[in-house]
Amino acid sequence: MKKIYPDARAALDGLTFDGMTVMSGGFGLCGIPENLIVALRDSGVKDITVISNNAGVDDFGLGLLLQTRQIKKMISSYVGENKEFERQYLSNELELEFNPQGTLAERCRAGGAGIPGFYTKTGVGTLIAEGKEHKEFNGETYIMETGLVADLSIVKAWKADEQGNLVFRKTARNFNPMMATAGKVTVAEVEEIVPLGSLDPDCIHTPGVYVQRLIKGDHEKRVEQRTVRQRETA
């Protein structure tokens, strides 16, 4: 099956619809599928639910979809540096389902593994636990969280071969591998596509069976917040 598409727009053709749920990989601005996010914006799809650790910054990443009001709901763990995300949430213009960061990662992993729900101690006794099933194990209270599955997962990897086997680099392994398994359709953008057989099988993080479409993208690799130390005086 041919998985390589010429660009992000072509890779999303026929996959988007109003009201859909999208998982978007990455952490901050590291490892985000920036080309696919732009193509998603340009598709005009609206009222979408986005599952992502955060929403980028105001003018980059998922922040672009917030600017155009295409996102109805965010399932996230961190509002982060995005002032528009914060403004829309505080103004009741955007639904937000907050998750502890590890819980969000596990919900995505569980969805990809076919696990409908699991119990965790994280959030017990807080607002996170309200309305959720509580259960005791060995004298400790746990709450039930549900696995997450998306209509579409968009992820960013370092390398791929022609069959969609993916290798992530460093921090880009946050959320991308588990989200790649939890989409009904997964589209990956990568920095380099190598011939089949070029990747060491022991170094493949996501098998190509989880990836339906693939593009090679041009990436800006922005720094979300640059912090430098003051130079010490002699």
Side-chain angles (χ1 to χ4, degrees):
M1 182 172 64
K2 179 173 168 41
K3 295 186 177 182
I4 301 174
Y5 284 70
D7 54 41
R9 180 178 178 179
L12 293 185
D13 185 43
L15 300 181
T16 61
F17 57 91
D18 293 347
M20 70 186 299
T21 299
V22 179
M23 280 187 181
S24 182
F27 186 90
L29 296 183
C30 182
I32 66 170
E34 57 198 73
N35 294 279
L36 290 168
I37 290 170
V38 171
L40 196 60
R41 179 198 64 185
D42 293 345
S43 74
V45 66
K46 58 183 184 294
D47 294 330
I48 60 177
T49 295
V50 175
I51 302 166
S52 180
N53 181 64
N54 58 305
V57 292
D58 289 293
D59 62 343
F60 192 66
L62 290 172
L64 297 174
L65 295 175
L66 288 172
Q67 284 184 345
T68 54
R69 305 297 183 88
Q70 290 170 267
I71 300 177
K72 178 183 178 182
K73 178 180 180 179
M74 290 289 305
I75 300 177
S76 301
S77 72
Y78 179 55
V79 173
E81 308 300 324
N82 194 314
K83 297 301 181 184
E84 181 62 14
F85 187 177
E86 179 183 359
R87 189 199 66 76
Q88 288 188 24
Y89 170 58
L90 293 176
S91 301
N92 293 318
E93 299 172 19
L94 175 72
E95 296 178 48
L96 175 60
E97 183 179 331
F98 260 137
N99 292 248
Q101 200 162 79
T103 299
L104 179 63
E106 181 61 13
R107 291 183 72 189
C108 296
R109 191 204 68 81
I115 298 170
F118 60 92
Y119 290 94
T120 176
K121 287 180 67 176
T122 304
V124 171
T126 72
L127 290 174
I128 295 294
E130 289 186 1
K132 294 177 181 175
E133 180 187 336
H134 290 58
K135 192 168 184 177
E136 281 198 7
F137 295 90
N138 299 319
E140 298 283 349
T141 301
Y142 292 74
I143 57 174
M144 191 180 78
E145 297 282 359
T146 56
L148 292 170
V149 176
D151 298 303
L152 170 68
S153 286
I154 52 176
V155 300
K156 158 71 166 48
W158 179 36
K159 289 184 180 181
D161 62 22
E162 294 132 325
Q163 287 300 309
N165 294 301
L166 303 180
V167 177
F168 300 94
R169 188 170 184 269
K170 298 185 178 180
T171 309
R173 287 181 70 182
N174 279 296
F175 288 99
N176 275 303
M178 58 279 284
M179 287 185 171
T181 68
K184 296 176 183 177
V185 177
T186 295
V187 182
E189 65 177 70
V190 300
E191 297 179 33
E192 182 181 1
I193 299 176
V194 300
L196 193 64
S198 299
L199 299 177
D200 180 348
D202 286 335
C203 295
I204 291 171
H205 300 128
T206 297
V209 68
Y210 292 109
V211 179
Q212 283 72 45
R213 300 184 182 186
L214 181 69
I215 64 161
K216 181 180 181 300
D218 295 317
H219 301 98
E220 186 174 340
K221 295 187 178 181
R222 281 201 203 182
V223 175
E224 184 171 0
Q225 186 177 107
R226 189 180 299 276
T227 304
V228 296
R229 185 178 64 184
Q230 293 295 321
R231 186 181 296 276
E232 296 179 3
T233 56

